[in-house]
Amino acid sequence: MKIAILGKPFDEETLPFVQALLDDLVGRRTEILIVEAFRTYLDNRLQLPEGVGTFRRGDSLRGVQFVFSIGGDGTLLDTVTYVGALQIPILGINTGRLGFLATIIPDRIPQAIDALFKGHFVIEERSLIRVETDPEVFDGINFGLNEFSILKRDTSSMIVVHTYIDGEYLNSYWADGLIVATPTGSTGYSLSCGGPVMLPQTNNFIIAPVCPHNLNVRPLIVSDRSVISFEIEGRSNNFLLSLDSRAVPVDAGIQIAVRRENFAARLVKLNHVNFLSTLRSKLNWGLDRRNPAGTPL
């Protein structure tokens, strides 16, 4: 088996778990590739096995069976951009804080690897959002798992985002910004703006204003088969476009449209962990002392 690993710096107490992960993979005669920056970080902290390869952004991961994301949810979002259209299954190992997407905790790594090699897992396909701009601003990596946002750059005044669905005028949002979220992103930035939670299999987008200046404006659910386009205006000539964890400043007049990407992210789920159990355990969904004591969180 060939496995690629991406990661971010983690706490010292996590080092033994990562060392055990690498040793376990070597014991199973696994070919290991580690992204270059993370390999440099590990070099001074772990005893890396011989023969470990490296890769950089832009290198092909063709032939890799699984990609391990070691970090938090932000690391997994970044991992999706490395995998892209290859749709290699991603296993998220949580060394961060919340771990809503990266669900494997460090002390469960041995069981996770064993389940992976035995085939005791399921694959969840998550839809992606694609952003098309003129001029191009995301260096060709114009897709994301969570959301696309249009935001003001300073605290001086709100912006106006004129929004169209399939060319038909929807609304002009007077706000600090506007979010278009995928079902996966419904538990992220959109949630903090009052958006609904959607199951991952839902074929929709959420359009949610950020701090709107209208009491009668609420988040809206639209089909992800739609093309949503925007025109932006405001007192400032500069705005911020954000795609998951990547943000770039842009000038007024830029043309923007979003649609569903034609490929998906594939997340590995183990040990009966699914979206609903994660919703209960990570966001305390439905937490109520009246529920039966045995109800799993």
Side-chain angles (χ1 to χ4, degrees):
M1 188 177 289
K2 188 175 183 179
I3 290 176
I5 299 176
L6 293 97
K8 297 288 177 65
F10 43 73
D11 296 333
E12 291 293 320
E13 56 264 28
T14 306
L15 286 172
F17 298 104
V18 178
Q19 182 71 66
L21 180 150
L22 294 173
D23 294 342
D24 193 347
L25 292 179
V26 170
R28 298 173 189 266
R29 299 183 179 180
T30 305
E31 183 179 351
I32 303 172
L33 299 175
I34 303 177
V35 70
E36 192 171 65
F38 192 50
R39 164 68 185 266
T40 302
Y41 170 78
L42 295 178
D43 265 335
N44 301 322
R45 292 166 176 81
L46 298 178
Q47 184 66 42
L48 292 179
E50 294 183 4
V52 170
T54 60
F55 66 96
R56 290 185 285 183
R57 184 177 293 281
D59 292 347
S60 175
L61 294 178
R62 194 173 300 278
V64 171
Q65 279 80 44
F66 295 96
V67 177
F68 288 4
S69 171
I70 303 176
D73 290 344
T75 307
L76 194 143
L77 294 177
D78 193 36
T79 301
V80 170
T81 67
Y82 279 81
V83 172
L86 292 177
Q87 300 186 110
I88 303 168
I90 300 170
L91 177 68
I93 298 172
N94 181 34
T95 60
R97 290 171 294 184
L98 183 61
F100 198 90
L101 296 173
T103 56
I104 305 300
I105 58 177
D107 59 4
R108 299 292 296 177
I109 290 175
Q111 293 87 341
I113 295 176
D114 192 55
L116 202 66
F117 276 80
K118 289 180 178 178
H120 298 166
F121 61 89
V122 296
I123 298 292
E124 278 190 2
E125 290 205 350
R126 302 292 186 94
S127 61
L128 302 171
I129 189 168
R130 177 182 179 86
V131 181
E132 297 173 346
T133 61
D134 186 13
E136 168 65 45
V137 296
F138 288 110
D139 298 325
I141 309 174
N142 59 338
F143 58 89
L145 178 59
N146 265 7
E147 77 268 316
F148 167 71
S149 305
I150 301 170
L151 304 166
K152 67 177 187 177
R153 290 196 63 188
D154 51 47
T155 59
S156 60
S157 62
M158 70 185 76
I159 61 177
V160 185
V161 184
H162 306 292
T163 306
Y164 304 82
I165 298 178
D166 294 328
E168 183 177 343
Y169 176 68
L170 169 65
N171 186 38
S172 293
Y173 292 92
W174 295 74
D176 284 355
L178 193 69
I179 302 166
V180 182
T182 66
T184 299
S186 71
T187 55
Y189 193 5
S190 173
L191 184 66
S192 68
C193 294
V197 174
M198 291 197 298
L199 298 182
Q201 299 80 16
T202 308
N203 297 319
N204 293 303
F205 287 138
I206 301 169
I207 301 176
V210 180
C211 301
H213 199 250
N214 308 81
L215 295 178
N216 58 350
V217 172
R218 294 292 183 268
L220 179 69
I221 297 175
V222 301
S223 169
D224 64 7
R225 299 303 176 186
S226 305
V227 176
I228 309 170
S229 54
F230 312 94
E231 296 173 355
I232 318 169
E233 65 174 281
R235 292 179 181 175
S236 172
N237 289 322
N238 300 107
F239 310 99
L240 198 66
L241 301 186
S242 174
L243 184 56
D244 284 350
S245 56
R246 293 162 283 142
V248 292
V250 297
D251 295 330
I254 186 171
Q255 298 182 41
I256 310 167
V258 300
R259 67 183 75 218
R260 179 171 175 163
E261 183 57 272
N262 58 16
F263 54 85
R266 307 179 74 209
L267 306 185
V268 176
K269 297 298 178 182
L270 307 171
N271 302 324
H272 308 293
V273 173
N274 56 41
F275 178 80
L276 297 180
S277 63
T278 304
L279 194 64
R280 293 192 300 269
S281 63
K282 300 296 184 178
L283 295 186
N284 293 327
W285 181 269
L287 184 62
D288 192 317
R289 66 174 60 190
R290 296 169 297 180
N291 287 339
T295 301
L297 287 178

